[in-house]
């Protein structure tokens, strides 16, 4: 017998909530698994996520005296075109990159500070 996932999905769409509940219980018994998420582990992961920040936003707060070098650095970091990078440097405070890792954020900060920029990590 071939496995036909499309027909199974179609059957599930037509099933009532109580039928689906019975199906879950039957699958749990047959395969000795649990469909419920471990709440204690999920709660602990949420607490750790609040304590340790895993993504940062890099904001250029001052472009410094070396604007041309700052524009080049922004282009290198973001991949923006010349006009967009210039606009970002000219209109500080500006968000350079959002949602990056701590290492990448620190690397970007170092590159921009090397050319005279002032950077804030949020």
């Amino acid at each position: 017998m071939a496995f036909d996932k499309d027909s199974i999905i179609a059957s599930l769409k037509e099933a009532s909530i109580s039928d689906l509940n019975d199906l879950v219980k039957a699958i749990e018994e047959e395969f000795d698994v649990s469909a419920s998420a471990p709440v204690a582990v999920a709660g602990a992961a949420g607490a750790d996520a609040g304590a340790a920040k895993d993504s940062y936003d890099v904001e250029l707060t001052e472009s410094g005296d070396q604007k041309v070098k700052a524009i080049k650095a922004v282009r290198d970091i973001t991949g923006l075109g010349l006009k967009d990078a210039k606009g970002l440097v000219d209109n500080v405070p500006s968000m350079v990159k959002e949602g990056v890792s701590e290492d990448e954020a620190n690397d970007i900060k170092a590159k921009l500070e090397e050319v005279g920029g002032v950077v804030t990590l949020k």
Side-chain angles (χ1 to χ4, degrees):
M1 180 172 144
F3 182 76
D4 187 7
K5 68 178 178 190
D6 294 330
S7 67
I8 294 172
I9 291 172
S11 297
L12 291 175
K13 286 181 180 179
E14 296 173 8
S16 69
I17 297 296
S18 62
D19 289 339
L20 293 174
N21 187 34
D22 292 341
L23 175 64
V24 169
K25 287 179 183 177
I27 290 172
E28 286 177 336
E29 289 174 12
E30 179 69 28
F31 297 105
D32 194 27
V33 295
S34 174
S36 63
V39 177
V41 173
D48 291 343
K53 191 170 183 173
D54 59 351
S55 71
Y56 293 85
D57 298 336
V58 181
E59 181 180 51
L60 181 65
T61 53
E62 292 180 35
S63 56
D65 295 335
Q66 303 176 37
K67 277 194 171 184
V68 173
K69 289 184 179 182
I71 293 168
K72 287 181 181 180
V74 168
R75 287 186 70 197
D76 181 49
I77 292 164
T78 62
L80 293 173
L82 180 61
K83 182 179 179 182
D84 294 330
K86 183 180 183 312
L88 195 142
V89 171
D90 287 342
N91 298 313
V92 291
S94 308
M95 202 59 67
V96 177
K97 257 192 164 178
E98 297 178 340
V100 296
S101 67
E102 183 178 5
D103 292 338
E104 186 177 359
N106 288 326
D107 186 45
I108 293 169
K109 181 178 180 180
K111 287 179 182 178
L112 291 171
E113 288 178 343
E114 186 177 304
V115 296
V118 177
V119 177
T120 303
L121 301 180
K122 294 183 175 186

